[in-house]
Amino acid sequence: QITSTGANAGLRVYQDQAQSGLALVQDGAGNAINIDQNGESIAINIDSEAETSTGIHLDVRNQTSGAGIYIESSGTQRTSGRMLYAISDDSNTDARNLVEIVNDNVAAVAAVPLKIDNDSRSTSLYVDQDISAATSVAASDATGVRFDFDRAVPGSGTSAHNDIGIDLNVDSASLGNSTVIGMDINVA
């Protein structure tokens, strides 16, 4: 047990070589690291000065049904707080993807790259793209949502391919005076 009451860290590992500063090997079925954060501060704070390397890397290739990252929140405590928040305030004009989900194996035909399951009556997906008046002065092109679906021509065979760009299925039932709209497009 290490007890620290001052401003300095209770445990500090300094490493200036190309190897791990701290290595843990957990062969048992318990948690390798358990953090009980009771103070009003950040539980894990990582300051990475790396420019081309990865900030956090998880190798979860042996998992079968578990989750690589699992975030849980239940009860009534959460009001306006987010469960996951990624913000970029970089002014660099190079093209880049801020969030990227890649299903990189052509044999994984049943894998869904992104699934949203919403049991509430709130909006499941909300895209808010705002182009300021200052950036609208010069000529520019902008796209709110773009779907790019491509199927390459097969090298051989005559198998049928039935492709759908957007499959919208709305199943709604009500006992009151209600309205159901499949797709509402408003261009102003």
Side-chain angles (χ1 to χ4, degrees), residues 144-188:
V145 177
R146 179 184 177 203
F147 293 93
D148 182 10
F149 181 98
D150 300 310
R151 179 193 287 276
V153 178
S156 63
T158 58
S159 298
H161 302 101
N162 303 303
D163 300 327
I164 300 175
I166 297 177
D167 185 2
L168 177 63
N169 183 7
V170 179
D171 187 359
S172 176
S174 175
L175 297 177
N177 186 10
S178 305
T179 301
V180 58
I181 299 174
M183 183 176 289
D184 185 5
I185 301 176
N186 183 7
V187 179

Side-chain angles (χ1 to χ4, degrees), residues 54 56-61 67-70:
T54 302
I56 297 176
H57 175 77
L58 301 177
D59 185 352
V60 293
R61 70 184 78 188
I69 297 177
Y70 183 82

Side-chain angles (χ1 to χ4, degrees), residues 62-119:
N62 291 327
Q63 281 186 327
T64 56
S65 59
I69 297 177
Y70 183 82
I71 304 174
E72 181 179 11
S73 176
S74 60
T76 59
Q77 290 295 109
R78 185 171 303 281
T79 54
S80 59
R82 304 168 180 93
M83 292 187 64
L84 184 62
Y85 183 58
I87 182 172
S88 174
D89 192 19
D90 298 303
S91 60
N92 190 296
T93 58
D94 292 345
R96 59 190 176 275
N97 299 326
L98 297 182
V99 178
E100 189 167 353
I101 301 173
V102 179
N103 180 17
D104 213 17
N105 196 312
V106 297
V109 295
V112 178
L114 177 63
K115 176 185 177 182
I116 300 175
D117 184 0
N118 186 6
D119 293 334

Side-chain angles (χ1 to χ4, degrees), residues 6 12 14 17 28 35 37 44 47 62 65 95 106 141 149 167:
R12 179 175 176 145
Y14 177 77
Q17 303 297 318
I35 298 175
Q37 173 67 26
I44 298 176
D47 180 12
N62 291 327
S65 59
V106 297
D141 299 322
F149 181 98
D167 185 2

